[in-house]
Structure formats: structure tokens, C-alpha cells
Amino acid sequence: MKLAAERAFAAPEAAARKLVELAKTIEAVQDGRIHIEKLNAPFLYTLKATGLEFGAGIKHAVEKGWLELHESGTYVRLIDTSAKAAPAKD
């Protein structure tokens, strides 16, 4: 008997890919900055992900070199949006 449904973004890689996908749709401001709340709101409220999934996704995207997170945590930058670096499903 299965009591809970699988979470779409339980895997950090899945969350990271979705965050990068969302970041690509957001118009960056000064110096390519994307305010963290522009990613946070749709990820948490539209996609119904959790805060832990968001944090793990951001961390994974930074480790993979897809996003750069400012030390203040207030914004991210897409590091490389080329087809080679874009997080495509394997």
C-alpha cells in the first residue's frame, strides 16, 4: 500500500533542472541578476514544491555550474546558457 505520492522535485537534480528552466524564462536585471523570489514563488506555489526541495535544487545547480548564487542569497545568475551547459534530461 502506497501512502504518499512521489514528489516531482524530491531529487535535487530534478529540482535544479526545473529551477534553471524557470530562470531562463525570467528577464534578468542589472548584470544578469535574477532575484531569488522570482524563482522561489513559482517553484513553491505554482509547482507545489517544498522549501527543502528548493534549497537542494539551488545547491545542486550551483554545484553543477548552472547557476551562481550570490553570497547574500538574494539573487542568482545563469552561468552558461549554451546548449552544451544547459541541463537537458539524460
Side-chain angles (χ1 to χ4, degrees):
M1 180 162 94
K2 192 172 188 178
L3 298 177
E6 293 278 330
R7 302 226 16 111
F9 305 111
E13 185 170 355
R17 290 180 189 282
K18 190 59 170 182
L19 287 167
V20 171
E21 182 182 315
L22 286 170
K24 287 181 179 181
T25 66
I26 297 168
E27 186 175 345
V29 293
Q30 176 186 17
D31 298 328
R33 298 175 184 179
I34 299 169
H35 294 114
I36 201 79
E37 63 269 14
K38 300 272 184 163
L39 288 175
N40 190 305
F43 192 75
L44 296 178
Y45 300 110
T46 305
L47 300 173
K48 305 293 185 206
T50 67
L52 291 174
E53 292 167 342
F54 180 79
I58 290 285
K59 182 179 177 186
H60 189 80
V62 169
E63 288 171 356
K64 287 289 194 176
W66 299 335
L67 293 177
E68 175 188 357
L69 177 64
H70 187 263
E71 63 187 29
S72 68
T74 58
Y75 66 86
V76 295
R77 283 189 183 114
L78 282 168
I79 293 180
D80 187 2
T81 57
S82 69
K84 172 182 79 138
K89 287 211 171 199
D90 297 333

